[in-house]
Amino acid sequence: MTTGTEAPRIALDPLVTDLDAESAALRAAGPLAAVELPGGVPVWAVTRHAEAKALLGDPRLVKDINAWGAWQRGEIPADWPLIGLANPGRSMLTVDGADHRRMRTLVAQALTPRRVELMRERIEKLTQDLLDALPEGEETVDLKAAFAYPLPMYVVADLMGIETARLPRLKVLFEKFFSTQTPPQEVIATLTELAQIMTETVAAKRAEPGDDLTSALILASEDGEHLTDEEIVSTLQLMVAAGHETTISLIVNAVVNLSTHPEQRALVLSGAADWPAVIEETLRWSTPTSHVLIRFATEDVPVGDKVIPAGDALIVSYGAIGRDERAHGPSAGEFDITRASRNRHISFGYGPHVCPGAALSRLEAGVALPALYARFPGLDLAVPAAELRNKPVVTQNDLFELPVRLDS
């Protein structure tokens, strides 16, 4: 078996100029690829469906950054652009075992299916308001800025009880948080300001609870235990970050996919296929999250003919995994909303750390997309798909903008 010191590494492109080609290269490297993250940080990437499911449930891979040998040796600088994803503070994202079960149970008590379903009316209202504000005719519109971004951001702000006046600043901060291009001198300042905003929100809700998830997290208990303020702050930041970025990309990617596959668009607009099929196939074929950081091996973990050595780090490359032919057949590289395996993807994760906000993201897309195409059935891209530009975010399959014509 080979280890990280013997295998050539695939350097992930910090500018994300060709995510499809990069994902194909990762799959070709086998189920476990030796990878270099921006900043020269060596990690492993799992690239196939079956192996990813096994590793995501393997207790030898933990979320505690203190198990990372490179971190312990001081090789990861505090101003590494991706440090906020690797070490985001103590929350259910960064703990395992009993601590994780405790935190996730408390979050689940707050983020109930009933609370999610109660958001439907608000999502429908926001969707209609945003559609009403879109200009009709041949004028080019940035659909991401005008529709796909504000909808999830307003929804997550409502859900978490964040003042809408903070949203413009949060947009700036989260763009810096996810970007590989954030200057080192701004990394720590960005993380500090994000934490301050979340801390102030928690303090306000502790003083005056409302009908929101932050208040529910403060009040929730499991066998008499409460989340600490540090845990609530980190959980709030996690849920705001994941709660808007994933859904933005899901809506944007679905529009791009339908625009570049007009025969698929015709199927759903005619009623021959349904919108959940579009959503699930988009999640599989152009998953919103291209790579998830980061797990650490507490002992040697064999994967195929390779080994993740103890102390090494693992990322989950969902962009590669979604098109794994072993899971989805020889046509895995094609976008097909009639595909029988479209629901078999793991784009919201798998195992103990599966995304708790998956139902909300599906609900938002399930309201937004049919309403968008009911209003503008002729919607199409205003530029060739090859001219769409990815943002420099190695963890998200995200575009700078989505120029469309609403009545093409």
Side-chain angles (χ1 to χ4, degrees), residues 209-247:
D211 185 21
D212 55 76
L213 189 54
T214 301
S215 299
L217 289 173
I218 292 169
L219 298 173
S221 63
E222 171 70 8
D223 296 328
E225 290 191 58
H226 292 263
L227 293 172
T228 67
D229 276 7
E230 176 193 0
E231 292 168 344
I232 296 171
V233 166
S234 295
T235 298
L236 176 58
Q237 180 168 314
L238 161 67
M239 298 192 74
V240 173
H244 79 281
E245 281 289 340
T246 299
T247 308

Side-chain angles (χ1 to χ4, degrees), residues 78-85 87-88 166 168-199 233 237 241 244-245:
D79 58 2
W80 180 44
L82 299 177
I83 193 63
L85 295 167
N87 190 28
R166 293 190 181 272
R169 184 56 184 166
L170 284 174
K171 181 179 188 293
V172 173
L173 292 172
F174 276 118
E175 286 181 348
K176 291 181 179 181
F177 176 84
F178 284 106
S179 177
T180 59
Q181 303 301 295
T182 301
Q185 65 271 21
E186 295 183 20
V187 171
I188 294 176
T190 298
L191 295 175
T192 300
E193 187 174 350
L194 275 171
Q196 182 61 31
I197 290 173
M198 302 306 166
T199 299
V233 166
Q237 180 168 314
H244 79 281
E245 281 289 340

Side-chain angles (χ1 to χ4, degrees), residues 2 27 67 102 107 114 119 143 161 241 245 284 294 311 334 352:
T2 60
R27 281 192 302 276
R102 174 181 67 86
V107 170
R114 178 178 177 274
M119 295 293 294
L143 194 66
E245 281 289 340
R284 180 199 72 84
I294 198 164
E334 300 172 11

Side-chain angles (χ1 to χ4, degrees), residues 95-133:
V95 297
D96 298 281
D99 265 353
H100 175 259
R101 287 190 294 273
R102 174 181 67 86
M103 291 190 198
R104 192 176 180 96
T105 298
L106 293 169
V107 170
Q109 288 177 353
L111 189 61
T112 62
R114 178 178 177 274
R115 183 181 290 274
V116 170
E117 185 56 32
L118 286 173
M119 295 293 294
R120 178 182 295 275
E121 184 176 348
R122 175 60 172 153
I123 294 168
E124 291 173 344
K125 177 65 165 59
L126 285 168
T127 297
Q128 293 305 318
D129 288 347
L130 291 168
L131 292 176
D132 288 344

Side-chain angles (χ1 to χ4, degrees), residues 28 85 156 379:
L85 295 167
V156 79
L379 183 153

Side-chain angles (χ1 to χ4, degrees), residues 119 123 126 130 144 147-159 167 239-240 242-251 360-361 364-365 368:
M119 295 293 294
I123 294 168
L126 285 168
L130 291 168
K144 179 181 177 182
F147 183 72
Y149 173 82
L151 176 62
M153 202 62 187
Y154 278 119
V155 169
V156 79
D158 275 2
L159 179 68
L167 296 187
M239 298 192 74
V240 173
H244 79 281
E245 281 289 340
T246 299
T247 308
I248 293 166
S249 296
L250 173 54
I251 294 171
L360 180 60
S361 185
E364 291 178 65

